[in-house]
Amino acid sequence: LAAAPGAFAADALTDAMQAAYAPYRAVLYRTNNKAQAESEQTMAQTRQAWADIVARFARQPPAPYDRDPAVAATLAEVAAVYEAAAKQIAANQLVPAHDTLEKARELMAELRRRNGVVVFSDHMNAYHAQMEHVFIDGPAELATPQGALGLLAQVGALDYLAARLRSEAPAALLANPEFVSLQQQVQGAVASVRDALVRQDVAAAKAAIGKLKKPYSQLFLKFG
C-alpha cells in the first residue's frame, strides 16, 4: 500500500512515520479480518519500515522533534509493540495481536502531539476512539431508561468527528473520488445511528451501530 496522498508534513521524521503507517494500517486490517498469512506479510513490512525509522532518526531526530528527549524511547516502544504483535500473529493469536498493534497508534499519536505535529491520521484516530465508545458501550446504554437520548449526545460527537474527516482532509484527498465516497459512507453510517436515536427506535439504532466499523475500516486502510 502506498501512503495516502497529501498526508505528508514538512519534516523528515513525520513523513517517514506516515509512509510507514501504510503497512501498519494493512496489518491492523488483516488481523481484524483474521487473515494470518496476510497478517504475517504486512507485519514483516511494518517492522522493516519501522526499523528504518529507528536507524535514521533515533539518535538525531529533525526539528521539531530535536528538543524531545523521549523520541528514541518512543521509537523503541513502537518497535517493541511490533515485535510482540509479530509473535502473536505467528502463534495465530490474531485478536490479541490486533489489540497489541493498537498501542503503536497511540504511541505515534502522542509523539506527534507533544511535538506540535498534526496530520490527517490524528483526525482518523479521534473518530476511531469515539466510534469504539459508541460501538462498545452503545448497546448497553440503549437497554437503560432514556438510553436512546443519552446515547444521542455521544453520537452527536461522532457525527462532528466524521465531518472533520472531510473538513480537515488535505486537498489531494479531497480531489480523490474514492476518498470522498468512503468519507461519505462513514458519515452516512453515523447519520443512520443518529436518525434512529432521534426516532427512539432502539432496534434500528442497535442495527446501525453494528454497521459503523466497516466503512471506517475501509477508509482507514486506504487513507488513514
Side-chain angles (χ1 to χ4, degrees):
L1 290 173
F8 297 114
D11 70 88
L13 177 51
T14 303
D15 286 353
M17 287 197 297
Q18 289 300 98
Y21 210 57
Y24 170 69
R25 294 196 307 268
V27 72
L28 272 175
Y29 185 85
R30 301 306 180 194
T31 52
N32 193 48
N33 285 279
K34 301 178 177 59
Q36 185 182 18
E38 292 87 347
S39 295
E40 287 184 320
Q41 180 182 16
T42 50
M43 187 74 255
Q45 294 169 355
T46 301
R47 294 185 73 189
Q48 183 58 60
W50 198 259
D52 293 343
I53 287 174
V54 173
R56 289 176 61 193
F57 301 110
R59 289 191 176 186
Q60 290 186 313
Y65 301 95
D66 54 341
R67 289 175 286 184
D68 182 351
V71 169
T74 300
L75 298 183
E77 285 185 82
V78 174
V81 168
Y82 288 162
E83 181 180 4
K87 291 178 180 178
Q88 291 171 317
I89 291 169
N92 202 25
Q93 299 173 348
L94 300 183
V95 173
H98 183 85
D99 293 339
T100 297
L101 285 165
E102 291 282 7
K103 299 173 186 175
R105 178 182 358 213
E106 297 167 4
L107 287 165
M108 286 182 272
E110 171 57 21
L111 176 60
R112 291 191 299 267
R113 186 203 63 77
R114 68 175 185 254
N115 288 284
V117 177
V118 178
V119 297
F120 181 68
S121 297
D122 294 309
H123 302 293
M124 290 289 290
N125 291 345
Y127 176 88
H128 176 264
Q130 183 67 10
M131 179 190 71
E132 287 288 292
H133 175 63
V134 171
F135 188 84
I136 294 170
D137 299 333
E141 188 165 357
L142 284 172
T144 65
Q146 304 299 315
L149 293 177
L151 186 58
L152 187 58
Q154 297 298 328
V155 174
L158 190 64
D159 195 25
Y160 168 77
L161 292 169
R164 284 178 67 82
L165 296 180
R166 184 179 183 91
S167 66
E168 299 300 320
L173 290 184
L174 293 175
N176 185 318
E178 185 180 9
F179 170 82
V180 172
S181 175
L182 288 171
Q183 188 277 332
Q184 289 174 344
Q185 290 175 45
V186 168
Q187 197 146 20
V190 179
S192 294
V193 181
R194 182 198 63 215
D195 294 346
L197 292 172
V198 169
R199 300 193 308 270
Q200 298 193 47
D201 186 336
V202 173
K206 285 182 179 179
I209 288 171
K211 296 177 182 178
L212 283 173
K213 283 196 171 185
K214 183 177 179 179
Y216 172 81
S217 66
Q218 292 173 337
L219 181 66
F220 177 76
L221 175 64
K222 189 68 181 286
F223 301 106

